[in-house]
Amino acid sequence: MAIKMALLTPNDLININKQLQEADSTVQRVTGLDIKGICKALYGTSPSSEKVGIVPVTSGNGIIGNFSASLHAITQYFGFESFVTDMPDVSGYYEAVRNGAEIILMADDYTFLAHNLKNGKMANNQPCTGIIYAEIASRYLKADSKDVFVVGLGKVGFPGAAHLVQKGFRVYGYDPDENLFQRAVSNLGVIPFNPEKPKKFSIIFEATPCANTIPESVLSENCVLSTPGIPCAISEELRTKYDVQVVAEPLGIGTVSMLYSVL
Ligand code: 2YC
Ligand code: MG
């Protein structure tokens, strides 16, 4: 049975444009590239005014307030022409295609997908979110080594960790779920992080639906924490005490990663 995602709430999506602008300037400061630049580097693609159709879906927990409207704002922010269909579900899909959508965006409680009707490419939010947040972490200009700490090795964290290993980083990983932990150690060669022998990192990638998952002992001054996880992995107090550069945004960074991956 597919595992339900941690569902967004309308509260997470308040003023998505401001959240995206702030995240974009943090990414620029940390990596020297803006989010668009990261996507171009990651996928080698660039948009040529593809039209995006956003279809609300009523199944399961149903419509999340502001979800489709946020996707509309996000696609506009990254220069895509887009529209939200008046009807939801199948009628919405029909409406989107009839009104010239080339890429469909829609999500139920288990899958958030992008489907390019022109080239048949499809993307899933979970791996696309893990890979782009890992890519952002890997490009920290002030990183002091190729060591990276990864917390959360599930549907989002594992693809991110795999991306970092593939890029030649030495990944120290941890997940409270023993199976997920062992899978990453045996399949990716992730080094098991031992809380008893903590080590400080300048690059941290976290992908869990839990708060305060990062122990103080691994934080180095001015380190980067790249995380799609909600709630945030570190407290405001620790963020300030170590001047941690936090890249965290609820929906836009994962969504643009999906869009560039289907171009
Ligand atoms: O409003 C709608 O169309 C709903 N069917 C949307 C459901 C989205 C469920 N997924 C989430 O809340 C998120 C993902 C977008 C990323 C992580 N969880
Ligand atoms: Mg995000």
Side-chain angles (χ1 to χ4, degrees), residues 54-56 63 83-89 91-93 95-96 99:
I54 298 159
V55 181
I63 299 286
F83 62 98
V84 179
T85 58
D86 300 334
M87 292 292 286
D89 307 327
S91 305
Y93 189 89
E95 183 188 335
N99 292 304

Side-chain angles (χ1 to χ4, degrees), residues 58-115:
T58 62
S59 67
N61 275 357
I63 299 286
I64 294 176
N66 249 349
F67 183 77
S68 297
S70 297
L71 291 180
H72 190 219
I74 288 160
T75 46
Q76 304 279 311
Y77 180 92
F78 289 110
F80 290 88
E81 191 194 338
S82 67
F83 62 98
V84 179
T85 58
D86 300 334
M87 292 292 286
D89 307 327
V90 177
S91 305
Y93 189 89
Y94 183 68
E95 183 188 335
V97 177
R98 278 170 61 86
N99 292 304
E102 292 162 295
I103 298 175
I104 300 287
L105 285 180
M106 58 184 181
D108 62 18
D109 296 352
Y110 301 92
T111 306
F112 171 23
L113 68 82
H115 189 197

